Amino acid sequence: MKKNNLLILFIGLSLLSQAQTITIRDKSSREPLPDVVILDKNNMQVKTDIKGKAVVSSLQKEDSLFIYQFGYATQKVMIFEGNDASVDLTAKTVNLDEVIFSANRKAESKIDVPYQIAIIKQKDIEFSNPATSGDLLQNTGQVFLQKSQAGGGSPGLRGFEANKVLLVVDGVRMNNAIYRGGHLQDVMTIDPNMLERAEVLFGPSSTIYGSDALGGVMHFYTKNAQFSPDDKMLVKANSLLRFASAAQEKTGHLDFNLGWKRFASLTNITFSDFGDLMSGSTKLSGYTNTWDRNYYVKRFDNRDSMVKTNNNNLQTGTAYKQIDLMQRFMIKTGEHLTHNLNFQLSTSSFVPRYDRLAGDYSGGKLKFAENGYGPQNRLLAAYTLNFDKKTIVSDNIKVILAYQKINQERITRRFQNTNRKIQMEDVAVLSANIDIYKVLAEKHELRYGLEITNNNVNSVAKFKDINTNAELPADTRYADGGSKMSTTAIYLSHAWEVNKNFIITDGLRFTNTNLTCNFKDTTFYKFPFTKAQQKNQALTGNLGFTWKSEDDYKVSLLTSTGFRSPNVDDMSKVFESSGSTVIVPNPELKPEYTYNFELNLSKVVQGRYKFDLTGYYTNLTNALVIKDFKLNGNDSAMYNGTKSKVQATQNVDRAYIYGLNGGVQFDFNSNVSFKSVLNYTYGRYIDAKNDTVVPLDHIAPLFGQTSILYKGKSVDGEFFVRYNGKKATNDYSPSGEDNAAYSADKVLGYMPGWFTLNIRLGVNLTKALRLNLACENITDNRYRVFASGINAAGRNVIVSLRYKM
């Protein structure tokens, strides 16, 4: 018996010693590729593990092996007996189908859903090398990005922006009760270096995501901790050093994974130091505003003075710093049960509001000596349970319990005034999501679940004398007695595969919202109320039809509805929109609804040429827009010592938006490809009271991006042109949100069209070390993106080194 055991052990060790492995990696990112299928001539197959490795000893290797991976070109390789091998796969540029996660909060094929979706993979993130997640979205050529300061970036989708688009990170909605209707910078609190992928879901998506998803959803997926496939500890590390010349940016990043069979940990650390941003030197001519930075404020002997700049291209007052941390733990407690703990923290230094510091004048003098956001903190703690055992009610259940803490400070001080005004907002958000997936009779898929959120907002304010440190009460931004907003929602989504070429999708969601704002102290404003309450319900849905043929075409028709419940920002805010306008609370608000119709066409020709076209029409009812208003019967009020016109968020009768998105992709050969995307949007709202049709705010001008790409064995490159059309005077919204005062014509509003020439290069120095080089805005043009209050970067040389193990 002992001899037999020894013989079996000897044979096993002999076979093990002869085990032949193949390692599969992505050619550009050098990341190992799991679940790659390796097939021999007899259709015997093996798959790679999490390390991209597969044992191919059992396959017939007299002839070539075929390597298949979704989204990559199939490769044919010859492996000689006894030799290990390593193969790099090249991602397809032209690809009709990809795996997506955002449409129904579940992995599925893009070709099966009727939505327009942009996918940003980890290799795209690393190659484009963005400084912020705002820049990451802009790099798609399909997301419009407004900026009021260097530490800002407000993405817009299909003419919607701010609290009318939804930000989601790892299944948790970021939009909270104080997301405003103007321009937001919260996307900047997401570190692009910690992302595994991001997806942009265009159009109303309230069936799955609820309130705010009018223009679409931007869903960010961070890197997850990875288990080891064997008994050895899995160690992975990724580090980055980056320098960009336009802002003298210095960024350092490190993430590392330690994984065992049932426990894994991922740690992520990023630090960024941005200096003052240099704008382009090739200036505009013939306009009233060329955006020079001629003066800035500096204190001498406890007195503010306007100091003339040495270089009016340098946008003094744009520097800031940011730290982003993430810690994730993955625990497996059974064959079908995993637990995930996700901790994220983002904190910044003081972030100057450049638009107010450089663009606001009063009597020939700068209006503000200080204006900006104090340290902005975002904390997320989330627990995710994933259960994938098939039962009578589910094939997969995912539960997400999350807590978020957001602290924001707004700091302002008038020129030659010693009183610094500090407004502090403290938002605590609790949320619970349950998402359930079930396949019925093979052709029917059900997704159903619930979402509960609860927002608590506390708002305080004070004046602080910068010389004496004496403090006095100040008017708060939101209701000073505290505000609460809670939602409860259930949803059901269904997909029916009628046949292999035709799919019907449908869904419904019911949401109940409660909102209460308490106005304790009315010393500063005599509001005709001390409490504002609101309860509303919303029923939304979608119906889509998809005709498809794999690697050939896709045609989809979609009708969908969306809604946005008024939040604390809508109902209780007091703030200065511009130098002569003050926004006041309006408790008489109703939810706004969108009714969307769209057609999506995709066609692949000869496997090398792809054409995409999307047309949409969105009708808004009860649209929330900022209009002239009366407070206590008066159309003006004193605010911060200035007589200002009174405005408030109000429901208008109707608004509409329509537009087109078109894209082409060509693979000229295995190394060179071409892609281009163009976006057109038009929006108006109907003011029935005044019998007028007025431009809707946040409507981007024509914009797009065109690229030529090269993929070599160890070198990748891209030359691209980014461009915007003009924003004509008669297309500026009267609400003030389009920031006409910061445009090229500060009186009437006008933004000229622009383009930039740009180039990127990635070089694999070794298997572990990669060098990225880029030069953006090669011609050093001076320009501004529509509605922005800061010039875009001038010529920007970027150098980064990335090391992976």
Side-chain angles (χ1 to χ4, degrees):
M1 191 70 178
K2 290 183 179 179
K3 289 183 179 180
N4 288 338
N5 287 341
L6 288 172
L7 180 59
I8 292 171
L9 178 62
F10 176 77
I11 292 172
L13 290 172
S14 298
L15 289 173
L16 187 63
S17 66
Q18 296 172 9
Q20 188 176 11
T21 62
I22 184 170
T23 302
I24 312 295
R25 294 178 179 271
D26 180 277
K27 188 174 182 180
S28 297
S29 69
R30 296 159 294 120
E31 283 287 313
L33 295 175
D35 298 321
V36 177
V37 176
I38 304 170
L39 202 69
D40 67 12
K41 65 178 183 179
N42 297 322
N43 287 327
M44 294 290 293
Q45 69 177 40
V46 295
K47 286 187 177 182
T48 56
D49 60 20
I50 198 169
K51 297 180 180 179
K53 295 181 180 294
V55 177
V56 295
S57 305
S58 61
L59 301 184
Q60 297 294 320
K61 296 179 285 295
E62 299 88 9
D63 205 347
S64 299
L65 299 178
F66 292 89
I67 301 176
Y68 298 92
Q69 173 69 332
F70 198 64
Y72 289 80
T74 299
Q75 205 154 322
K76 183 178 179 182
V77 297
M78 176 72 76
I79 301 177
F80 296 101
E81 197 69 44
N83 294 331
D84 291 342
S86 180
V87 177
D88 293 333
L89 295 187
T90 301
K92 292 180 180 179
T93 302
V94 173
N95 190 18
L96 195 60
D97 196 12
E98 297 181 77
V99 175
I100 58 168
F101 297 86
S102 61
N104 290 291
R105 299 173 68 98
K106 180 79 174 64
E108 56 191 327
S109 295
K110 182 181 178 183
I111 198 172
D112 291 341
V113 299
Y115 303 99
Q116 178 195 353
I117 299 175
I119 302 169
I120 311 168
K121 300 177 183 177
Q122 185 176 344
K123 62 185 179 184
D124 303 320
I125 298 171
E126 293 181 354
F127 179 61
S128 65
N129 204 11
T132 69
S133 286
D135 295 334
L136 168 71
L137 294 169
Q138 188 181 42
N139 286 339
T140 64
Q142 300 181 69
V143 179
F144 190 81
L145 191 73
Q146 180 275 351
K147 289 188 178 184
S148 297
Q149 65 274 347
S154 188
L157 307 176
R158 292 190 176 181
F160 294 97
E161 190 188 335
N163 58 16
K164 292 180 174 63
V165 295
L166 184 64
L167 299 177
V168 180
V169 59
D170 294 328
V172 179
R173 57 183 291 130
M174 289 179 60
N175 289 43
N176 58 56
I178 65 169
Y179 266 42
R180 56 189 178 271
H183 308 290
L184 284 170
Q185 73 279 358
D186 294 67
V187 73
M188 312 300 283
T189 65
I190 302 173
D191 174 19
N193 298 292
M194 73 181 184
L195 296 179
E196 183 177 87
R197 66 187 286 128
E199 295 183 11
V200 183
L201 179 61
F202 294 89
S205 310
S206 290
T207 303
I208 301 298
Y209 290 98
S211 180
D212 302 359
L214 301 182
V217 177
M218 290 155 282
H219 201 146
F220 299 90
Y221 300 87
T222 64
K223 298 173 184 176
N224 210 342
Q226 297 181 355
F227 295 120
S228 173
D230 50 42
D231 293 329
K232 295 180 180 178
M233 181 175 68
L234 174 66
V235 179
K236 298 179 71 175
N238 171 43
S239 60
L240 170 74
L241 292 174
R242 170 189 156 103
F243 172 80
S245 63
Q248 296 295 294
E249 175 215 340
K250 297 167 280 293
T251 292
H253 167 81
L254 172 68
D255 67 74
F256 58 90
N257 182 94
L258 302 176
W260 293 265
K261 276 196 168 183
R262 292 186 174 273
F263 177 79
S265 167
L266 176 72
T267 303
N268 182 100
I269 305 168
T270 302
F271 172 75
S272 295
D273 183 351
F274 298 91
D276 288 329
L277 182 66
M278 185 73 74
S279 65
S281 61
T282 307
K283 302 178 183 179
L284 297 171
S285 59
Y287 298 101
T288 59
N289 197 353
T290 57
W291 311 312
D292 287 337
R293 181 58 153 148
N294 293 316
Y295 295 93
Y296 66 97
V297 176
K298 190 173 181 179
R299 287 184 68 77
F300 297 96
D301 299 324
N302 290 327
R303 181 176 174 81
D304 292 331
S305 298
M306 287 177 56
V307 179
K308 189 169 179 61
T309 59
N310 295 322
N311 182 351
N312 59 23
N313 296 323
L314 183 65
Q315 298 177 100
T316 305
T318 52
Y320 74 101
K321 298 177 182 179
Q322 185 165 318
I323 298 175
D324 295 284
L325 306 174
M326 182 180 72
Q327 177 64 55
R328 299 195 70 168
F329 297 109
M330 183 82 84
I331 305 166
K332 191 170 187 177
T333 56
E335 182 181 355
H336 302 284
L337 188 62
T338 57
H339 312 265
N340 195 310
L341 295 174
N342 185 351
F343 302 96
Q344 299 175 21
L345 174 65
S346 177
T347 184
S348 72
S349 65
F350 177 77
V351 181
R353 276 286 303 267
Y354 181 81
D355 56 343
R356 297 296 177 86
L357 292 172
D360 288 1
Y361 280 81
S362 177
K365 295 181 179 180
L366 288 169
K367 192 172 183 178
F368 291 100
E370 300 176 24
N371 197 314
Y373 301 101
Q376 295 196 99
N377 302 315
R378 179 182 70 88
L379 170 69
L380 167 68
Y383 162 74
T384 302
L385 178 148
N386 192 76
F387 181 68
D388 61 7
K389 185 177 181 179
K390 292 185 178 181
T391 69
I392 192 171
V393 297
S394 70
D395 292 344
N396 178 266
I397 299 176
K398 179 179 284 188
V399 178
I400 304 176
L401 306 176
Y403 170 76
Q404 296 179 80
K405 184 83 166 177
I406 299 95
N407 302 112
Q408 294 185 353
E409 290 186 9
R410 287 172 175 81
I411 300 172
T412 58
R413 186 172 63 82
R414 299 275 173 157
F415 182 63
Q416 294 183 346
N417 188 323
T418 61
N419 277 326
R420 176 186 290 143
K421 184 178 183 180
I422 304 171
Q423 294 176 309
M424 295 164 283
E425 273 63 62
D426 186 352
V427 185
V429 185
L430 289 171
S431 63
N433 290 82
I434 301 177
D435 299 301
I436 303 171
Y437 170 75
K438 180 66 180 177
V439 176
L440 299 175
E442 294 186 0
K443 290 184 176 293
H444 294 270
E445 295 182 3
L446 285 182
R447 305 169 189 89
Y448 59 100
L450 64 87
E451 179 180 66
I452 301 171
T453 68
N454 186 71
N455 286 246
N456 280 289
V457 180
N458 289 306
S459 188
V460 297
K462 63 183 179 182
F463 286 110
K464 185 174 183 178
D465 191 289
I466 61 173
N467 290 332
T468 66
N469 289 326
E471 295 184 0
L472 292 171
D475 53 305
T476 57
R477 183 174 175 87
Y478 302 114
D480 61 336
S483 303
K484 294 182 182 294
M485 182 176 181
S486 61
T487 65
T488 305
I490 56 173
Y491 77 90
L492 171 66
S493 176
H494 166 248
W496 176 23
E497 187 179 15
V498 181
N499 57 52
K500 68 176 184 179
N501 299 119
F502 182 48
I503 295 175
I504 300 175
T505 59
D506 53 84
L508 286 172
R509 182 187 186 102
F510 176 78
T511 304
N512 183 75
T513 304
N514 292 284
L515 174 62
T516 303
C517 302
N518 297 298
F519 298 85
K520 184 172 62 177
D521 185 354
T522 58
T523 302
F524 297 95
Y525 293 101
K526 300 297 181 183
F527 297 131
F529 47 82
T530 57
K531 177 183 281 190
Q533 286 184 298
Q534 191 175 95
K535 294 182 180 180
N536 60 68
Q537 293 79 38
L539 180 66
T540 52
N542 67 275
L543 177 64
F545 304 92
T546 302
W547 295 264
K548 62 172 185 171
S549 177
E550 190 173 349
D551 296 329
D552 188 4
Y553 70 86
K554 173 185 172 182
V555 178
S556 63
L557 284 170
L558 175 67
T559 177
S560 56
T561 60
F563 80 99
R564 193 181 78 79
S565 294
N567 62 14
V568 172
D569 185 88
D570 295 309
M571 201 164 72
S572 75
K573 177 175 64 179
V574 178
F575 88 112
E576 185 181 31
S577 175
S578 63
S580 58
T581 303
V582 61
I583 310 297
V584 300
N586 178 14
E588 304 297 326
L589 295 177
K590 303 174 184 178
E592 55 185 338
Y593 291 88
T594 59
Y595 301 89
N596 179 69
F597 304 91
E598 65 181 88
L599 172 66
N600 295 283
L601 306 171
S602 294
K603 174 66 177 177
V604 172
V605 179
Q606 298 177 356
R608 296 171 56 191
Y609 310 101
K610 183 185 176 187
F611 303 88
D612 295 293
L613 182 65
T614 296
Y616 58 89
Y617 179 89
T618 303
N619 188 56
L620 292 85
T621 59
N622 288 335
L624 292 170
V625 297
I626 296 174
K627 295 174 57 182
D628 292 346
F629 191 71
K630 287 188 177 182
L631 179 64
N632 297 323
N634 299 313
D635 59 8
S636 62
M638 294 298 295
Y639 185 75
N640 283 346
T642 302
K643 188 175 182 180
S644 302
K645 180 171 67 173
V646 174
Q647 292 188 328
T649 301
Q650 301 170 63
N651 293 105
V652 299
D653 290 340
R654 189 169 69 88
Y656 59 89
I657 298 174
Y658 59 81
L660 291 170
N661 168 271
V664 295
Q665 296 182 40
F666 302 155
D667 270 352
F668 295 119
N669 54 48
S670 61
N671 299 111
V672 181
S673 60
F674 169 88
K675 65 179 180 180
S676 184
V677 63
L678 190 64
N679 310 271
Y680 169 77
T681 315
Y682 182 89
R684 292 290 188 270
Y685 78 79
I686 299 169
D687 188 343
K689 182 178 179 180
N690 299 312
D691 194 26
T692 57
V693 178
V694 181
L696 198 60
D697 48 20
H698 303 294
I699 302 298
L702 185 76
F703 73 99
Q705 187 168 298
T706 299
S707 303
I708 296 177
L709 301 100
Y710 173 81
K711 293 182 179 180
K713 185 175 182 179
S714 58
V715 178
D716 295 333
E718 179 183 15
F719 174 79
F720 64 99
V721 183
R722 184 173 291 154
Y723 39 87
N724 271 209
K726 69 178 181 180
K727 183 73 172 184
T729 299
N730 58 6
D731 286 329
Y732 269 77
S733 169
S735 72
E737 295 293 357
D738 288 346
N739 291 332
Y742 304 141
S743 70
D745 186 330
K746 63 177 68 176
V747 177
L748 299 176
Y750 177 81
M751 192 67 78
W754 55 265
F755 71 91
T756 61
L757 306 179
N758 317 269
I759 191 168
R760 298 188 187 114
L761 189 68
V763 182
N764 294 332
L765 302 178
T766 69
K767 285 187 177 181
L769 187 63
R770 182 175 175 85
L771 172 68
N772 278 85
L773 302 170
C775 184
E776 299 174 344
N777 192 3
I778 296 172
T779 54
D780 203 30
N781 290 340
R782 168 83 64 88
Y783 71 98
R784 278 189 182 181
V785 175
F786 160 67
S788 294
I790 184 173
N791 301 340
R795 185 181 297 116
N796 191 22
V797 177
I798 304 169
V799 181
S800 71
L801 273 176
R802 185 181 297 274
Y803 178 79
K804 289 186 177 183
M805 61 169 285

